[in-house]
Amino acid sequence: MNSQTPDLSAIHGFLLCPTPEAWIHAALAEPELMLVDHANCEKKAAGTALNLMFRYLNDFELLNKMSRLAREELRHFEQVLAIMEKRGIAYPHLSASRYAASLRAEVRTTEPGRLVDTLICGAIIEARSCERFARIAPFLDEELQGFYLSLLRSEARHFRDYLYLAEKTAGEGTAPRVQVLLQVERELVEHSDSIFRFHSGVPK
């Protein structure tokens, strides 16, 4: 294990499947596209945290954790932008993959189920991001490898924070609901996708 790589056994034990090799090959064939969509993912992650802060004002622990998370995601966004600028990579508009939208389509519409499911989805997305950073890092150039490995600790902490807040909000075992949403995520990751994105399934 690289000295920069934290123990990700909790992440691997949480997710129902690893990232398919076919996604790794697609990412290596589209490094610029991967960086552009990575930048988008960091913006969206910050936006999700900010939306939770605006919507749920009565939970100070949630507010503090989401504030820190949003700051870190925006810092990661700035780091991706710096790499793109250094490499002369343009920042075009990209359509989103179906991954996050398909997960959030499963979120219940009444509280507290809505918040619990939103937090579980956040945990799943952060876990998959962390897993993919670790999976692809060994195949990247030195600069990108170091950058992606540097993200692992914060992404793993974001996963733990989301899952903790979901369990705290539910007030009872969240395992059945987690498994339902994880199964949806597994299908999204393993099935074919019409486009390549950082969170896409297997590109056709």
Side-chain angles (χ1 to χ4, degrees):
M1 181 180 293
N2 188 291
S3 61
Q4 294 185 66
T5 307
D7 179 8
L8 301 182
S9 57
I11 298 281
H12 297 144
F14 176 74
L15 296 170
L16 298 186
C17 67
T19 290
E21 290 291 334
W23 183 90
I24 302 292
H25 296 319
L28 295 175
E30 299 269 15
E32 295 187 0
L33 181 57
M34 180 181 68
L35 279 171
V36 171
D37 199 53
H38 178 186
N40 288 340
C41 289
E42 299 293 359
K43 279 197 298 185
K44 291 172 186 174
T48 295
L50 290 169
N51 285 337
L52 287 168
M53 290 173 64
F54 279 106
R55 191 183 302 155
Y56 300 101
L57 302 178
N58 60 339
D59 187 332
F60 280 80
E61 189 171 27
L62 180 149
L63 291 171
N64 276 296
K65 286 184 180 297
M66 291 300 102
S67 177
R68 179 181 181 182
L69 189 151
R71 291 197 307 274
E72 289 180 337
E73 301 290 20
L74 286 174
R75 175 55 182 154
H76 297 164
F77 171 70
E78 292 166 3
Q79 290 174 299
V80 180
L81 277 189
I83 291 172
M84 289 169 56
E85 186 174 15
K86 178 180 177 182
R87 297 181 179 213
I89 299 172
Y91 194 176
H93 287 285
L94 289 181
S95 60
S97 71
R98 60 197 177 100
Y99 179 87
S102 297
L103 271 177
R104 289 181 178 131
E106 303 294 324
V107 171
R108 290 169 285 181
T109 57
T110 58
E111 300 292 1
R114 180 187 182 190
L115 175 56
V116 171
D117 286 1
T118 300
L119 292 167
I120 293 171
C121 286
I124 292 171
I125 292 169
E126 294 289 342
R128 181 60 66 187
S129 297
C130 189
E131 187 261 357
R132 287 201 164 172
F133 288 141
R135 285 274 282 150
I136 199 168
F139 305 103
L140 301 175
D141 61 67
E142 185 176 355
E143 180 185 41
L144 277 182
Q145 180 179 132
F147 174 51
Y148 275 20
L149 291 176
S150 75
L151 299 177
L152 296 181
R153 292 188 190 280
S154 58
E155 299 299 309
R157 186 179 65 257
H158 298 168
F159 153 70
R160 292 192 301 270
D161 285 347
Y162 270 123
L163 200 58
Y164 162 76
L165 290 169
E167 292 167 350
K168 171 188 164 185
T169 302
E172 56 188 32
T174 58
R177 193 63 190 153
V178 168
Q179 288 306 306
V180 167
L181 293 169
L182 278 173
Q183 187 56 49
V184 172
E185 197 265 354
R186 179 178 189 169
E187 293 173 2
L188 290 166
V189 166
E190 292 187 331
H191 288 183
S192 64
D193 231 320
S194 59
I195 56 175
F196 166 75
R197 296 290 186 267
F198 190 81
H199 282 117
S200 65
V202 178
K204 291 181 180 177

